[in-house]
Amino acid sequence: MTSDPQPPDEAHRRPEGVSDATVRALGALSEALETVERARGALYAFHQLTGGADLTLDDAVRLLREAGHHEQAERVEREILGRNVIPGHWTFQIVEAYNATYYRPFQELEADIRGELADGRDHLYEAGMKEARRTRNHPDHTALPPGDHPG
């Protein structure tokens, strides 16, 4: 067995005077932001899927015309191709509005509060869990990635 490495790197050590309650609160704030990151990813998926469907309509219109269905091709082209997904908005505008109105302010607020309460250190809750759960002197339970060990 290898000797137990040093504690976590400085960026993941709890600063002096930061309470368990503060670490839990910062962990919940971080978890909420991570959920917003996932929602943002779903929004980008919505954007790309809708855009892909709109581009596929070009094929549908062409194929309807080739099959002799000019009136139906015209209806698809006039009614759906390039249509707003909500009044006045294509999906890119929804993504931009979400980013500007919600995502970036949330991201900035979370970073500001971490800065104020924990010297800007991230994932203190998870780092504490790792330290509490890892098996000392086990090669697959080291505190740091390979190459980051002092010595």
Side-chain angles (χ1 to χ4, degrees):
M1 284 194 197
T2 62
S3 65
D4 195 26
Q6 296 294 316
D9 59 328
E10 187 65 28
H12 293 106
R13 287 187 213 151
R14 183 188 300 200
E16 185 87 19
V18 175
S19 69
D20 289 347
T22 298
V23 169
R24 283 192 305 276
L26 291 172
L29 184 61
S30 174
E31 182 178 3
L33 180 58
E34 290 170 7
T35 302
V36 166
E37 293 279 5
R38 291 177 57 207
R40 185 170 178 249
L43 191 57
Y44 272 92
F46 161 73
H47 164 59
Q48 292 173 348
L49 289 167
T50 303
D54 193 68
L55 292 173
T56 300
L57 286 175
D58 292 332
D59 290 336
V61 167
R62 179 182 51 78
L63 292 168
L64 283 166
R65 282 197 175 108
E66 287 175 5
H69 307 294
H70 298 282
E71 180 183 328
Q72 289 80 5
E74 288 296 319
R75 284 179 58 205
V76 171
E77 204 169 44
R78 181 180 63 249
E79 297 295 327
I80 302 299
L81 186 70
R83 185 182 184 106
N84 290 329
V85 295
I86 61 173
H89 293 81
W90 269 25
T91 57
F92 76 90
Q93 293 167 304
I94 296 169
V95 169
E96 288 175 355
Y98 182 84
N99 284 339
T101 304
Y102 190 75
Y103 173 71
R104 284 190 203 101
F106 193 153
Q107 189 180 40
E108 291 167 7
L109 179 85
E110 189 269 347
D112 287 349
I113 291 174
R114 268 190 301 107
E116 293 166 8
L117 301 180
D119 295 335
R121 295 180 189 174
D122 203 5
H123 294 109
L124 292 177
Y125 183 80
E126 292 89 340
M129 281 180 55
K130 179 178 179 176
E131 279 304 294
R133 296 173 66 90
R134 69 187 188 92
T135 303
R136 304 290 184 249
N137 296 313
H138 189 292
D140 293 324
H141 289 238
T142 58
L144 302 171
D148 285 356
H149 298 282

